[in-house]
Amino acid sequence: MSAPTHQGLYRNTPLVAGGLLGAIALLIGGIAAALQIATTGDELLPLIFGTLGVFVLTFTICMLAALRRHRWTIEPDGVLIEERPLVPLTGRRRTRRVPFAEIAALSNVQNAADDLLALVTREGERFVLPPGLAPGEGLIRRPDQESLFSFAGQLQSAMTATGHTAPSMTDGLGFWNRPAGLALLSATLLLSLGLAAVALWGLWEGATARHRGGEAVAILVMLPVGVGWMLRRAWQRRRSVMRMMSDAQAVPR
């Protein structure tokens, strides 16, 4: 009988959002510097194209580095954790064999639209396991959260079978539920609102949106809705977890 295994594609969404904001800051700063340095149009154009190239390169690197394969395998006395970049040479590999006795906590944490399984060791190391994709056809499929929860139950059962006390599953705080994550989401929301306003203003002024241009305008206009949903979801999870922790501390021991 093969060992229980689960793997999924981990998307480092803080790196993507931070990379986008950083790339935009470089773009704005580069264009401002080009306007100050260039004295003629012939000098300005190469500087603008160079700045755009840096913008695209920076964001592309962040996008590629954010995609990683995570795989956990339940062994007789522990769990084998393997992490590697989806695109070679865009990140480091990490392999850990965590004995059951060293597992201190298991929790569900948010990562944009996904819920991850988070494991914390007694030494403070933290590992996350993303859900796979639900069965079906097509490029867009929903995350298979049920399969991830089932694997978490298998891990708890394996710990109990070997005489270890399995920690109960709790809702935890991920990056997006903490002050830094909420601030980054808020900054992204403001930026998306600005981009949507520019797109709508262009249409109002008579710009035409055809084919791919129309799709880009639609994405820009709808972007604040998606970011706003993520911000609301992250804040609700934070309130829920903080309330649960407060109630647990209030219970007399």
Side-chain angles (χ1 to χ4, degrees):
M1 182 177 179
S2 60
T5 298
H6 184 93
Q7 69 175 358
L9 180 63
Y10 173 60
R11 302 168 183 85
N12 190 339
T13 50
L15 178 58
V16 174
L20 176 60
L21 294 179
I24 291 175
L26 286 175
L27 179 63
I28 295 173
I31 292 176
L35 292 174
Q36 295 294 323
I37 295 173
T39 56
T40 66
D42 291 338
E43 293 179 355
L44 179 61
L45 196 58
L47 293 175
I48 295 295
F49 279 126
T51 301
L52 289 173
V54 172
F55 166 79
V56 172
L57 179 62
T58 301
F59 186 56
T60 301
I61 291 174
C62 291
M63 284 285 292
L64 295 178
L67 300 175
R68 297 179 60 82
R69 265 306 164 194
H70 287 197
R71 175 188 176 97
W72 291 13
T73 303
I74 300 176
E75 298 184 335
D77 58 348
V79 56
L80 175 64
I81 298 175
E82 301 168 285
E83 301 175 1
R84 61 179 177 83
L86 180 65
V87 180
L89 305 180
T90 58
R92 65 185 181 90
R93 291 175 174 265
R94 182 164 76 153
T95 301
R96 293 284 190 278
R97 186 171 278 99
V98 181
F100 289 146
E102 295 300 317
I103 298 177
L106 294 171
S107 60
N108 299 316
V109 298
Q110 284 183 341
N111 182 49
D114 299 337
D115 280 343
L116 310 178
L117 171 61
L119 182 154
V120 179
T121 70
R122 299 192 185 281
E123 296 181 352
E125 280 192 294
R126 184 173 180 272
F127 305 91
V128 294
L129 180 65
L133 295 177
E137 298 180 355
L139 295 176
I140 301 178
R141 288 182 286 164
R142 66 178 180 83
D144 190 359
Q145 298 288 169
E146 292 79 8
S147 178
L148 181 62
F149 296 153
S150 175
F151 180 80
Q154 290 178 300
L155 177 57
Q156 290 174 309
S157 298
M159 294 180 66
T160 302
T162 55
H164 297 89
T165 302
S168 59
M169 290 290 297
T170 60
D171 287 334
L173 294 178
F175 173 82
W176 295 117
N177 311 118
R178 302 182 187 277
L182 292 170
L184 183 56
L185 278 176
S186 300
T188 306
L189 178 61
L190 292 176
L191 175 63
S192 66
L193 286 171
L195 294 174
V198 170
L200 291 174
W201 177 79
L203 292 176
W204 179 264
E205 290 297 317
T208 58
R210 297 179 180 176
H211 305 298
R212 295 295 181 182
E215 294 177 4
V217 170
I219 291 174
L220 289 177
V221 171
M222 294 302 298
L223 187 59
V225 177
V227 178
W229 175 80
M230 288 177 56
L231 178 59
R232 180 173 179 270
R233 186 170 182 261
W235 177 250
Q236 288 179 332
R237 169 62 71 89
R238 177 178 176 82
R239 289 183 60 187
S240 175
V241 173
M242 296 301 290
R243 187 183 301 115
M244 181 179 62
M245 293 173 62
S246 178
D247 292 343
Q249 291 176 353
V251 174
R253 298 181 181 276

